[in-house]
Amino acid sequence: MTVGLPGFVILLRVIAVTAVVLVITTLAMLVIASLSPKSDFGVWTLANYVDLFSLRGLNSMLYRTLAVGLGTTTFLMAFALPFTWILSRTNFPWKKAFLVLLTVSLAIPAFVTAMAYVWLFNPNSGIMNHLLQAAGLPPFFNVYSVGWICFVQALMLTPAAVFMMLPAFRNFDSTLEEAAAVSGISPHRTFLKVVLPTLAPAVGATSVFFFILAVEIFDVVGVIGMPGNIDVVTTLVYQSTHTVFGPPDYGFAAALGMPLLALCALGVLIYLWLLRRVDRYAMLSGKNRAPMLHDLGRWRVPALLLIGTWVLLAVIIPFLTVVWTSLTPYLQPPSRSALSQLSLSSYYGVAGLVWSPLLNTLLLVLGTISFSIIWSVSVSWLATRARSLPDKIIDSVVFLSLAVPGMLAAVAIQFLALTAYHWVPLLGTLWLIIITMALRSLAFTTRTLNGSALQLHSSLEEAAYVSGVSRMRTFGRVFLPVIRPAILFAVLVTTLISARELTIPLMFYSPDTSVISTTIFDLQATGRYDEAAVFSLLIVALLLMVALVSHRRAIPSD
Amino acid sequence: MPANPQDSALLGISGLAVSYGRRKGIPDAVQHLDLDVAEGEMFVLLGPSGCGKTTLLRAVAGLQTPHAGAITIGGERVFDAASGTCISPERRPVAMVFQSYALWPHMSVFENIAFPLREGGRGVKRDQVEPRVMQVLDMLSLSGMRDRAVTTLSGGQQQRVALARALALRPRLLLMDEPLSNLDYELQMRLRGQVKDLVSRIGVTTLYVTHNQNEALEMADRLAVMDAGRIRQIGTPRELYHRPSSEFVARFIGDMNLTPAVVSETGASGDLWLDTPLGRLRTRGDCLPNARMGQSCLFGIRQEDIELAPVPGHENVVPAKVVRATFSGDSISYRLEGDGFALLARLHRRHDVPEGRDVSLHVPPEHCLAVPLDSSPCIAEQPA
């Protein structure tokens, strides 16, 4: 049967296929780079892998990477699981306020918190160690350890993990619990035998997702790990592409990235397998009533203590440290002499530096959102409406791109840009950063839009077709307006993520493309802590506005 | 089944086959089907869920692409597998009312109806849009709600908006997919009459899908009973009720008692004598043309046609015992058992017989049917 494809379906396919081609090219370039000497395309060598295997401490570095992932996930779940439970299934009185706090905390980028912890707890000049010395005690705190890296990462990832698990916990069918109760099973056993197994796939999927994130993000290992000489895969990749002497070695960086890529790919497969179980469990339950809320009773105090600890460590301490550091010329604990030195001089110092990074950050955010939304709307329409085999393959490839860590995607695309420089001179421009970040965001944005599009019955659009309205008009006047809340949510989250992204802009760093996050990283690395603090306050202020808007518009309170 | 599409037919379907997964060995949802619907006719497709009736409707709308056959609407070939013609849904002269109503949640009542008129390709002039919308709103007594958000309407109101949206397009063919099934029973009963009146007053040809036999009988000018992708019988409601041509149709329409039987005698008047577990009974013969002596068939009597006989020993009178009596207000349902048979009967409440009583049953010959056996054994699914 020859049914002519409407031109607009072809248009969407072309848009979606460019994303797929870029994803596959990224992966291919990563492999090619790992087989090329330094930055030369077209010459083949196994030297990078030979170098990799003769790397001193390779095994301990890989174990350390794994330890960072597992440690972060463990600490993270220790906070996120009780928080999600409290927010969804108990009569905790201040749920709304806590949800606002979780959202607000998204405004503090992870590298800012990591910096604050370095300022507080580094063994030489850390504020806390100064305090101990003033009291006649030896310096006790040393932030440069795998444990601190895990802990700081966990603190920063907690809100995202809570938001990811919250829907599953809220949709939990409490009649399952009630059925156990009327069958004479104790609440304790019901929790262990009914509630936990039912929620296990959702919790497992979240854990795996954040494990992948924990081994690939550079924010914390870059700030705490590198100065402390704690090597993990991402710090070594960074160092081999940001060499002090000689050209960056993209070949070795790509080879280094292979174990990380394998780990993330495995993680994504497990994640997919768990997600399917989540869906199967969701189908089992029938009509949900409002879930039965447990009385916290005596547990109210421990719950408050846990929440208080997290708020103190993840929000209050980092924020106050940044404010304090921005006002003092060098790191020191509050004292009478420190108070006398307080000044706004670093604010004035920053004023001259701020415009170019600020403008670049805005362009970066706008560009990333535009590419991300155009791509994901096309992919989602094809995957949920056209639904032919090629469309499903496009959707799967986009989702599987989750397995390529941002840093490695950056290495591959930088290598590509270097190779193609004479034909497409994009090297050193914001475009590379924008495209890489948009590609990285696609797995999330397409998932968000697919979820929304699948919930809406396709008869909404069929009703327009049989009323004589064309595909294009129906797309613009029915499909897009109806999934608008999901698009808005995707835009807000992408804004938040891209404005505070450090890893990818840092990998493409050139003087013309400095953004606020890379500027902070540079100032911190060169010891200009006070100016780094001022810039941090700027990005926090900007993100706070986005976070508050997204809390009002998109994150459902109940 | 007419083999050649008649000239007067507004909708002509011939040799149509639709499938959801040809290579996976799933049987076709619609199997080589022929159907003609005359201009102005209210035609109902009736069948159990999964019989292919909605698939057929969607194929007519153009939402599903068949792999064989042809569809003609108003003389225009909208689908022809042989020549590869497949006109897209937006260019077919149809309108459709969906089971879910499919009202656009981001538009008001007025906008829902006006949107296809303004943006669609059906050639409605700009200055005609508003009068047309007001006309259908008025027709369905929705004038007071023109600016309401559709999400704030009740189920019955949403249903009326969906119908208004379809009628405003003035389609040659109106397609309705179980339009009443999401409403509560009371409202369904009331709307059946209203929808039927409205549609026949406008005179639009309608193809209407339902799984509810009462709804089908009440609304149809003609109806087709579908099963497993095929049409089992086409006719007026009276024809299908009185002269089911197969066991499937006999079971599907009305509450029928069916027992195995053998033709023992063919009468000159067209009546038959059947040997049944109830004994030898005289029946009408018009459902079993060309009956032969010794032919196996089914004996059928509807629950409401069974009578209590004053005297035993008469023609078509059978002794039985009341095993269970269920009082349901206007009538009483009985389970009756005799020597080697069991029957269900529904009698007016004035015949109130206690459980355990022996009775004589009269099965009037003019209501007794001889039904052909289905070639394949079929388990009829009673609609919910």
Side-chain angles (χ1 to χ4, degrees):
Chain A
M1 223 77 33
T2 52
V3 185
L5 271 180
F8 131 88
V9 177
I10 297 172
L11 176 70
L12 290 191
R13 287 236 169 97
V14 169
I15 294 173
V17 163
T18 57
V20 168
V21 167
L22 279 170
V23 167
I24 293 171
T25 310
T26 305
L27 210 53
M29 287 314 287
L30 193 64
V31 175
I32 294 172
S34 78
L35 295 169
S36 308
K38 294 274 181 191
S39 311
D40 296 334
F41 181 83
V43 186
W44 304 97
T45 173
L46 281 173
N48 294 319
Y49 288 96
V50 174
D51 287 351
L52 176 66
F53 285 112
S54 56
L55 186 72
R56 208 149 44 85
L58 172 70
N59 283 338
S60 60
M61 186 274 288
L62 290 178
Y63 284 133
R64 203 172 299 121
T65 305
L66 210 57
V68 166
L70 292 174
T72 303
T73 314
T74 311
F75 280 133
L76 172 66
M77 283 298 153
F79 284 117
L81 265 182
F83 287 179
T84 314
W85 180 261
I86 290 167
L87 283 169
S88 61
R89 306 299 321 278
T90 70
N91 63 349
F92 183 70
W94 299 291
K95 285 188 213 167
K96 277 223 170 90
F98 185 34
L99 269 172
V100 173
L101 251 175
L102 284 173
T103 317
V104 164
S105 78
L106 294 173
I108 307 179
F111 61 88
V112 170
T113 307
M115 250 164 33
Y117 274 81
V118 168
W119 297 339
L120 282 174
F121 299 120
N122 87 63
N124 305 320
S125 59
I127 294 172
M128 292 312 273
N129 287 324
H130 270 301
L131 267 181
L132 289 176
Q133 275 172 320
L137 295 166
F140 171 74
F141 295 107
N142 183 1
V143 75
Y144 298 129
S145 74
V146 171
W148 276 100
I149 291 175
C150 295
F151 187 69
V152 173
Q153 292 211 41
L155 282 179
M156 298 325 292
L157 293 174
T158 298
V162 170
F163 289 134
M164 194 161 169
M165 287 190 289
L166 213 45
F169 276 56
R170 276 188 181 147
N171 292 337
F172 179 80
D173 185 357
S174 17
T175 55
L176 296 181
E177 273 172 291
E178 288 159 53
V182 296
S183 316
I185 299 164
S186 74
H188 178 70
R189 285 200 66 72
T190 304
F191 182 79
L192 287 179
K193 294 283 169 182
V194 176
V195 180
L196 273 189
T198 321
L199 291 174
V203 174
T206 309
S207 306
V208 174
F209 183 85
F210 282 94
F211 172 86
I212 301 172
L213 215 55
V215 294
E216 68 157 297
I217 56 171
F218 184 66
D219 293 47
V220 178
V221 292
V223 174
I224 298 180
M226 285 208 303
N229 291 320
I230 303 166
D231 292 335
V232 290
V233 173
T234 45
T235 58
L236 289 187
V237 170
Y238 176 78
Q239 283 160 354
S240 54
T241 53
H242 292 72
T243 44
V244 181
F245 307 106
D249 191 345
Y250 292 108
F252 183 62
L256 258 174
M258 288 302 160
L260 185 63
L261 182 67
L263 189 64
C264 291
L266 181 69
V268 166
L269 289 181
I270 298 174
Y271 178 62
L272 274 178
W273 179 73
L274 285 167
L275 274 191
R276 205 168 305 153
R277 297 195 71 117
V278 174
D279 289 348
R280 204 181 319 152
Y281 281 13
M283 284 212 289
L284 252 179
S285 63
K287 271 195 177 155
N288 282 344
R289 292 182 294 112
M292 178 172 76
L293 297 182
H294 294 271
D295 185 13
L296 266 179
R298 285 178 298 129
W299 288 91
R300 186 178 291 190
V301 175
L304 263 178
L305 275 178
L306 187 69
I307 292 172
T309 307
W310 180 82
V311 172
L312 191 71
L313 293 176
V315 183
I316 297 175
I317 286 185
F319 185 70
L320 290 182
T321 308
V322 170
V323 172
W324 174 254
T325 308
S326 76
L327 296 169
T328 50
Y330 55 89
L331 291 181
Q332 54 188 316
S335 67
R336 192 168 295 164
S337 75
L339 284 176
S340 68
Q341 291 176 11
L342 287 189
S343 80
L344 290 173
S345 63
S346 36
Y347 287 78
Y348 297 121
V350 158
L353 305 172
V354 76
W355 297 110
S356 160
L358 184 62
L359 181 67
N360 279 342
T361 303
L362 291 179
L363 289 175
L364 181 65
V365 168
L366 283 178
T368 306
I369 291 172
S370 312
F371 274 94
S372 179
I373 295 301
I374 290 172
W375 271 330
S376 55
V377 163
S378 310
V379 171
S380 279
W381 190 89
L382 293 170
T384 62
R385 294 303 190 256
R387 304 184 63 182
S388 67
L389 188 63
D391 302 316
K392 286 179 182 165
I393 293 173
I394 290 173
D395 188 44
S396 306
V397 171
V398 165
F399 184 68
L400 290 174
S401 72
L402 197 62
V404 187
M407 184 172 259
L408 300 184
V411 167
I413 291 188
Q414 182 81 337
F415 182 70
L416 174 67
L418 207 62
T419 307
Y421 182 71
H422 291 295
W423 302 283
V424 194
L426 286 180
L427 202 65
T429 65
L430 270 180
W431 289 109
L432 291 182
I433 308 181
I434 287 172
I435 288 170
T436 313
M437 285 186 32
L439 284 177
R440 285 296 297 153
S441 72
L442 276 190
F444 166 77
T445 47
T446 54
R447 252 359 62 176
T448 306
L449 300 191
N450 282 3
S452 174
L454 282 176
Q455 270 178 11
L456 292 156
H457 201 270
S458 50
S459 64
L460 281 186
E461 288 143 87
E462 288 169 355
Y465 300 153
V466 294
S467 312
V469 184
S470 71
R471 306 273 157 154
M472 179 82 102
R473 287 236 168 115
T474 306
F475 180 77
R477 295 291 308 274
V478 177
F479 183 75
L480 289 184
V482 158
I483 64 162
R484 206 179 62 173
I487 296 180
L488 195 65
F489 180 70
V491 165
L492 286 169
V493 174
T494 312
T495 307
L496 215 53
I497 290 173
S498 54
R500 60 181 208 182
E501 170 79 28
L502 172 70
T503 316
I504 293 173
L506 203 56
M507 293 303 288
F508 287 109
Y509 184 77
S510 79
D512 296 338
T513 62
S514 68
V515 291
I516 296 177
S517 59
T518 56
T519 308
I520 296 172
F521 190 83
D522 274 358
L523 291 170
Q524 158 75 8
T526 50
R528 294 158 74 179
Y529 300 144
D530 52 339
E531 288 172 346
V534 177
F535 266 104
S536 301
L537 288 176
L538 173 67
I539 188 84
V540 168
L542 290 177
L543 289 169
L544 196 59
M545 286 191 289
V546 183
L548 286 176
V549 171
S550 65
H551 182 80
R552 285 211 12 230
R553 299 299 295 269
I555 295 171
S557 61
D558 240 324
Chain B
M1 249 170 284
N4 302 314
Q6 295 158 8
D7 293 337
S8 68
L10 185 105
L11 170 66
I13 297 172
S14 64
L16 199 73
V18 191
S19 107
Y20 284 107
R22 295 219 74 192
R23 270 161 296 173
K24 294 175 201 151
I26 303 167
D28 288 355
V30 171
Q31 302 182 358
H32 199 84
L33 186 141
D34 300 298
L35 181 68
D36 280 318
V37 177
E39 177 105 51
E41 192 173 32
M42 173 73 149
F43 194 94
V44 175
L45 294 169
L46 173 68
S49 54
C51 73
K53 56 194 189 300
T54 294
T55 307
L56 176 59
L57 193 78
R58 290 171 60 84
V60 172
L63 297 170
Q64 194 89 45
T65 308
H67 62 261
I71 303 173
T72 307
I73 301 175
E76 186 195 4
R77 272 282 146 115
V78 293
F79 175 80
D80 192 342
S83 65
T85 309
C86 184
I87 293 191
S88 61
E90 52 267 35
R91 286 186 290 134
R92 298 188 184 192
V94 300
M96 183 159 168
V97 178
F98 289 77
Q99 184 174 12
S100 60
Y101 314 140
L103 298 180
W104 299 304
H106 57 298
M107 299 182 189
S108 68
V109 169
F110 181 89
E111 286 163 347
N112 257 280
I113 300 168
F115 174 62
L117 303 177
R118 283 206 196 106
E119 312 254 333
R122 301 277 168 83
V124 180
K125 290 203 185 77
R126 289 236 143 240
D127 55 339
Q128 282 299 303
V129 171
E130 181 140 357
R132 274 225 208 170
V133 177
M134 295 321 288
Q135 186 198 6
V136 288
L137 283 176
D138 201 39
M139 201 149 54
L140 286 148
S141 350
L142 288 164
S143 306
M145 304 179 191
R146 58 166 281 176
D147 295 318
R148 287 267 294 275
V150 288
T151 45
T152 64
L153 301 180
S154 71
Q157 289 164 339
Q158 291 186 359
Q159 204 281 336
R160 268 157 41 212
V161 175
L163 184 57
R165 182 173 71 185
L167 290 177
L169 283 163
R170 298 189 186 157
R172 297 292 305 274
L173 177 63
L174 177 63
L175 305 170
M176 300 177 92
D177 184 9
E178 308 234 14
L180 302 180
S181 65
N182 279 349
L183 302 172
D184 63 59
Y185 183 72
E186 296 275 316
L187 198 54
Q188 270 193 36
M189 300 292 282
R190 213 166 38 179
L191 280 179
R192 276 179 204 167
Q194 287 181 10
V195 170
K196 165 101 181 168
D197 285 351
L198 186 67
V199 167
S200 56
R201 197 170 72 227
I202 297 170
V204 59
T205 313
T206 305
L207 190 60
Y208 188 105
V209 159
T210 179
H211 67 262
N212 182 314
Q213 48 149 322
N214 292 326
E215 188 177 330
L217 292 174
E218 278 177 39
M219 302 199 72
D221 294 328
R222 280 197 309 151
L223 70 158
V225 175
M226 282 189 72
D227 170 43
R230 293 197 170 90
I231 289 181
R232 300 303 290 256
Q233 192 173 358
I234 297 183
T236 64
R238 281 183 177 76
E239 282 167 357
L240 262 72
Y241 192 84
H242 292 304
R243 289 199 298 281
S245 65
S246 65
E247 180 185 347
F248 181 84
V249 175
R251 280 192 198 278
F252 198 75
I253 293 187
D255 300 320
M256 183 82 86
N257 291 292
L258 286 169
T259 64
V262 175
V263 179
S264 65
E265 209 177 300
T266 56
S269 61
D271 283 1
L272 299 173
W273 291 88
L274 300 185
D275 278 331
T276 75
L278 289 73
R280 178 162 296 195
L281 299 173
R282 186 154 74 90
T283 68
R284 276 170 32 208
D286 48 1
C287 298
L288 193 67
N290 312 320
R292 289 170 286 100
M293 298 267 283
Q295 181 183 354
S296 292
C297 65
L298 291 165
F299 164 77
I301 177 79
R302 292 187 189 278
Q303 290 187 24
E304 61 273 25
D305 289 334
I306 295 178
E307 297 169 358
L308 290 178
V311 268
H314 204 263
E315 183 188 64
N316 279 24
V317 170
V318 188
K321 182 187 209 141
V322 175
V323 178
R324 198 176 62 231
T326 311
F327 180 77
S328 57
D330 54 345
S331 62
I332 302 175
S333 294
Y334 292 100
R335 181 176 169 84
L336 306 158
E337 286 182 9
D339 192 11
F341 69 90
L343 291 177
L344 297 175
R346 194 165 60 240
L347 299 173
H348 191 270
R349 64 170 181 273
R350 69 174 168 267
H351 305 288
D352 197 348
V353 186
E355 289 177 2
R357 173 84 56 90
D358 289 317
V359 290
S360 294
L361 303 178
H362 181 223
V363 286
E366 66 273 24
H367 295 310
C368 291
L369 304 174
V371 181
L373 283 168
D374 282 352
S375 47
S376 55
C378 102
I379 299 137
E381 199 184 318
Q382 284 297 317

